[in-house]
Amino acid sequence: LAKTTQPISMDSYEGQEVNITCSHNNIATNDYITWYQQFPSQGPRFIIQGYKTKVTNEVASLFIPADRKSSTLSLPRVSLSDTAVYYCLVVQGDSNYQLIWGAGTKLIIKP
Amino acid sequence: GAVVSQHPSWVICKSGTSVKIECRSLDFQATTMFWYRQFPKQSLMLMATSNEGSKATYEQGVEKDKFLINHASLTLSTLTVTSAHPEDSSFYICSASGQLSTDTQYFGPGTRLTVL
């Protein structure tokens, strides 16, 4: 099974670009990578999902290198409200899939 | 994104009683629902996966007789914590999804359970 590893915490400042990397060395061919954001005492919220190369939506970009052993969530121009925990998820398999969650990265944005 | 609700949002109960938590997908049919538990300042812990009309699949170490899961319809799943004890106090979160591994999970707002 894949294992997902991400930094425990990160700090940054308002207006900066923040990159959070998740390692998933044993990712399999058909596995997808998804990132979620969670605020305290709330359920996680979907941010972005990808399989390879680069995916961009209105809130973030996801960079996945060719070997797919890692992925980087990029948050452009962060604000204080981006302070949250960010989770990397690898969904492994097809019909009987397994959810491999990272432990989460606590991102603190400072003024 | 899709909307998932949970009820109640918080509950306090006495030790030994049972508590039922409902998870509803309000605007789509959820073939698969997941139940998570989260202790303070800790990561999400998947408890079980339920598919509509089937028995839930529990993660290793999760007692299926203690955490009863029912997924009787495509819009409703329930988690019943039976004979709750203080160590069951936690934040319980459900998510709803389609059948495919690529389908996004939409999470409910969570239920805070406190067992006295």
Side-chain angles (χ1 to χ4, degrees):
Chain A
L1 286 180
K3 179 181 177 182
T4 52
T5 305
Q6 40 181 141
I8 294 174
S9 65
M10 293 180 68
D11 291 353
S12 188
Y13 292 90
E14 281 191 292
Q16 299 295 305
E17 177 184 83
V18 171
N19 296 310
I20 306 174
T21 297
C22 178
S23 297
H24 26 78
N25 290 324
N26 295 327
I27 194 168
T29 303
N30 295 327
D31 299 349
Y32 273 75
I33 301 148
T34 312
W35 284 81
Y36 290 83
Q37 175 193 55
Q38 187 183 29
F39 296 112
S41 297
Q42 294 186 26
R45 183 175 71 105
F46 170 83
I47 301 174
I48 198 165
Q49 178 178 272
Y51 178 78
K52 63 179 179 180
T53 63
K54 177 183 175 182
V55 179
T56 297
N57 61 22
E58 62 275 10
V59 297
S61 293
L62 179 60
F63 297 93
I64 304 169
D67 65 6
R68 303 199 330 117
K69 292 186 176 183
S70 66
S71 59
T72 299
L73 173 70
S74 181
L75 304 172
R77 296 181 299 282
V78 293
S79 63
L80 296 176
S81 62
D82 292 315
T83 293
V85 177
Y86 292 82
Y87 289 97
C88 166
L89 166 66
V90 171
V91 182
Q92 189 156 65
D94 293 316
S95 54
N96 292 317
Y97 53 85
Q98 298 281 322
L99 304 179
I100 314 297
W101 286 91
T105 298
K106 169 74 171 171
L107 175 64
I108 297 174
I109 305 301
K110 302 175 184 178
Chain B
V3 180
V4 177
S5 70
Q6 279 184 243
H7 179 79
S9 55
W10 59 269
V11 57
I12 302 173
C13 69
K14 293 182 179 180
S15 185
T17 60
S18 294
V19 174
K20 180 185 282 188
I21 302 170
E22 291 186 350
C23 176
R24 293 182 184 272
S25 64
L26 300 182
D27 52 5
F28 79 106
Q29 294 188 324
T31 310
T32 306
M33 285 187 170
F34 302 91
W35 285 95
Y36 295 82
R37 181 167 54 181
Q38 188 173 39
F39 294 107
K41 300 189 188 243
Q42 292 191 24
S43 182
L44 299 166
M45 190 194 85
L46 179 65
M47 299 175 67
T49 302
S50 73
N51 291 298
E52 185 262 339
S54 303
K55 288 185 178 180
T57 301
Y58 290 80
E59 295 299 302
Q60 194 172 9
V62 178
E63 300 174 58
K64 63 179 181 180
D65 295 330
K66 180 169 183 64
F67 299 99
L68 302 178
I69 292 171
N70 184 281
H71 189 172
S73 78
L74 288 172
T75 59
L76 173 64
S77 177
T78 60
L79 167 68
T80 301
V81 183
T82 62
S83 187
H85 291 285
E87 58 265 29
D88 298 322
S89 298
S90 189
F91 191 53
Y92 291 86
I93 315 170
C94 73
S95 70
S97 180
Q99 195 172 9
L100 302 177
S101 61
T102 53
D103 288 333
T104 300
Q105 289 185 56
Y106 295 99
F107 284 82
T111 296
R112 176 76 58 193
L113 170 63
T114 301
V115 185
L116 303 177

